[in-house]
């Protein structure tokens, strides 16, 4: 069962007059959708609300929303301003925004981390924060407008991989999806917004990364990566890891996947995915990261070659 919206959060929203709605840096569709839908709701309730983001808006589907966000809170008057932080597992992930010292509430669904806020609405089983935001709408007795429903649906589809990551325990998620469609969200349009509009170079990059995939543990673990040189050549525009994981997870017998991206010669960001039983959040935590059971990440000061050895070794207990 979903975690109920805390009474304290409803009170926090009802009693506040000015809000800053924050999210994590490098926002994804769930972050953008939940921030903008909650901002819109607060404004409809007669409150002042602004969405802020440290950016950058790297993903194709989030770019159109970038101009709606402020880089930092407007005005110097912080007295009485409250912060709601969406989809963000730690204070660090909010990025370099001057929000400390303000009363704050966090809405998050990450299994690991330490959400920042005096009120924490945490539901690690929630498919997305937009799903939780839809619960906040309901708890306030509000039905989403068409635009708000589109934003919430956009986030729900992003985090569930358009419902591909859901299992038989997801009746609530589909009920929420149905309610959002009833309120005007258009699945076909959302699918195109999330999956279309990519550059040809980004597709060539996908092929390049795929062509180098290495199999471990008899093919149960697949590892590949993106070099600095490739980032320079193909750019970061319209990168989409979701498609990369989708292609890798369609390989027969695979149980987990790892993508290593060189940020510089001594540092990599690592993405972990698993199909089912393997808890990649626990593995990511071993490298200073975190996330969800089936999807997690870490940033590690280590060369890609050394890191690949260490990471593949960390999977050993799952395959023996
Ligand atoms: Mn999310």
């Amino acid at each position: 069962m979903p975690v109920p919206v805390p009474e304290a959060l409803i009170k926090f929203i009802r009693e506040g007059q000015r809000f800053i709605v924050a999210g994590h840096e490098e926002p994804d569709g769930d972050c953008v959708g939940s921030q903008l839908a909650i901002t819109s709701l607060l404004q409809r309730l007669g409150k002042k609300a602004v969405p802020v983001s440290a950016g950058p808006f790297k993903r194709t589907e989030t770019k159109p929303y970038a101009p709606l966000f402020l880089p930092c809170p407007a005005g110097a008057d912080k007295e009485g301003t409250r912060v709601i932080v969406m989809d963000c597992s730690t204070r660090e992930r909010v990025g370099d925004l001057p929000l400390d010292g303000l009363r704050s509430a966090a809405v998050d669904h990450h299994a690991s981390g330490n959400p920042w806020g005096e009120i924490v609405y945490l539901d690690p089983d929630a498919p997305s924060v937009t799903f939780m935001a839809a619960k906040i709408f309901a708890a306030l007795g509000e039905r989403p407008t068409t635009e708000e429903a589109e934003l919430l649906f956009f986030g729900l589809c992003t985090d569930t991989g358009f419902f591909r990551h859901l299992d038989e325990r997801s009746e609530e998620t589909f009920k929420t999806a149905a309610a959002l469609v009833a309120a005007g969200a258009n699945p076909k349009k959302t699918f195109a917004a999330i999956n279309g509009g990519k550059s040809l170079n980004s597709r060539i990059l996908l092929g390049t990364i795929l062509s180098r995939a290495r199999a471990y543990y008899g093919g149960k673990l697949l590892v590949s990566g993106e070099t600095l040189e490739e980032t320079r050549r193909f750019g970061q525009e319209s990168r989409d890891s979701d498609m990369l994981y989708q292609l890798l997870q369609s390989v027969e017998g695979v149980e987990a996947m790892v993508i290593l991206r060189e940020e510089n010669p001594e540092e990599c960001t690592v993405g972990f995915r698993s199909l089912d039983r393997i808890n990649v959040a626990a593995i990511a935590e071993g490298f200073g990261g975190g996330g969800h059971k089936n999807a997690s990440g870490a940033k590690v000061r280590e060369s890609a070659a050394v890191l690949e050895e260490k990471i593949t070794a960390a999977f050993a207990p799952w395959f023996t």
Side-chain angles (χ1 to χ4, degrees):
M1 282 305 279
V3 172
V5 182
E7 275 301 324
L9 178 61
I10 297 306
K11 199 164 167 287
F12 182 85
I13 291 173
R14 286 210 196 277
E15 290 176 358
Q17 284 312 315
R18 278 200 305 278
F19 288 90
I20 288 167
V21 185
H24 60 78
E25 46 188 356
E26 243 187 88
D28 60 3
D30 188 36
C31 190
V32 163
S34 58
Q35 279 185 264
L36 293 178
I38 288 294
T39 300
S40 168
L41 172 66
L42 293 169
Q43 290 170 346
R44 274 208 286 124
L45 295 173
K47 302 167 191 297
K48 280 211 166 72
V50 287
V52 302
S53 180
F57 290 76
K58 284 188 182 171
R59 301 160 189 252
T60 322
E61 72 276 18
T62 62
K63 275 187 205 292
Y65 298 101
L68 302 174
F69 288 83
L70 296 178
C72 71
D77 177 23
K78 286 185 168 182
E79 196 52 41
T81 300
R82 298 178 175 202
V83 191
I84 303 180
V85 192
M86 313 296 290
D87 200 26
C88 200
S89 54
T90 60
R91 170 67 184 94
E92 293 74 60
R93 290 195 72 216
V94 180
D96 198 14
L97 294 173
L99 302 175
D100 291 314
L102 300 181
R103 294 195 59 191
S104 57
V107 183
D108 187 38
H109 68 136
H110 293 90
S112 56
N114 184 17
W116 169 62
E118 59 182 82
I119 297 162
V120 175
Y121 171 25
L122 178 69
D123 185 355
D125 291 326
S128 68
V129 163
T130 38
F131 170 88
M132 299 170 73
K135 301 284 170 227
I136 296 174
F137 272 72
L140 287 161
E142 295 291 328
R143 186 175 188 266
T145 63
T146 300
E147 282 87 34
E148 289 161 356
E150 280 172 340
L151 289 164
L152 294 172
F153 192 71
F154 172 59
L156 183 60
C157 292
T158 298
D159 271 25
T160 60
F162 235 94
F163 308 107
R164 280 180 294 117
H165 308 322
L166 299 172
D167 60 21
E168 72 280 8
R169 293 164 301 173
S170 42
E171 186 184 346
E172 270 296 314
T173 307
F174 282 96
K175 279 185 181 162
T176 302
L180 295 174
V181 171
N186 177 336
K188 193 162 77 171
K189 223 173 90 184
T190 307
F191 187 85
I194 294 176
N195 293 289
K198 314 289 185 197
S199 68
L200 177 58
N201 260 346
S202 74
R203 304 302 88 176
I204 296 173
L205 177 59
L206 274 182
T208 308
I209 298 174
L210 211 53
S211 71
R212 260 203 321 264
R214 298 167 286 275
Y216 292 89
Y217 303 105
K220 289 177 189 154
L221 173 66
L222 296 176
V223 181
S224 193
E226 180 180 330
T227 65
L228 270 178
E229 154 62 16
E230 285 160 354
T231 308
R232 265 195 288 271
R233 188 148 46 111
F234 298 109
Q236 299 190 355
E237 291 290 305
S238 57
R239 244 182 192 176
D240 80 269
S241 337
D242 190 51
M243 179 58 75
L244 184 58
Y245 293 119
Q246 201 179 321
L247 291 165
L248 289 172
Q249 79 176 49
S250 62
V251 175
E252 188 183 13
V254 71
E255 290 192 52
M257 296 140 274
V258 173
I259 301 292
L260 297 146
R261 280 204 173 94
E262 281 182 355
E263 297 295 334
N264 58 59
E266 294 96 41
E267 193 174 44
C268 294
T269 49
V270 193
F272 300 85
R273 294 292 183 280
S274 65
L275 269 63
D276 192 22
R277 68 178 182 105
I278 298 174
N279 182 354
V280 288
I283 294 178
E285 279 167 33
F287 291 90
H292 307 284
K293 186 191 168 212
N294 298 128
S296 63
K299 201 170 203 174
V300 192
R301 290 198 65 82
E302 197 82 81
S303 73
V306 173
L307 197 52
E308 178 160 342
E309 262 181 58
K310 289 188 178 173
I311 286 175
T312 51
F315 275 90
W318 292 96
F319 296 126
T320 47

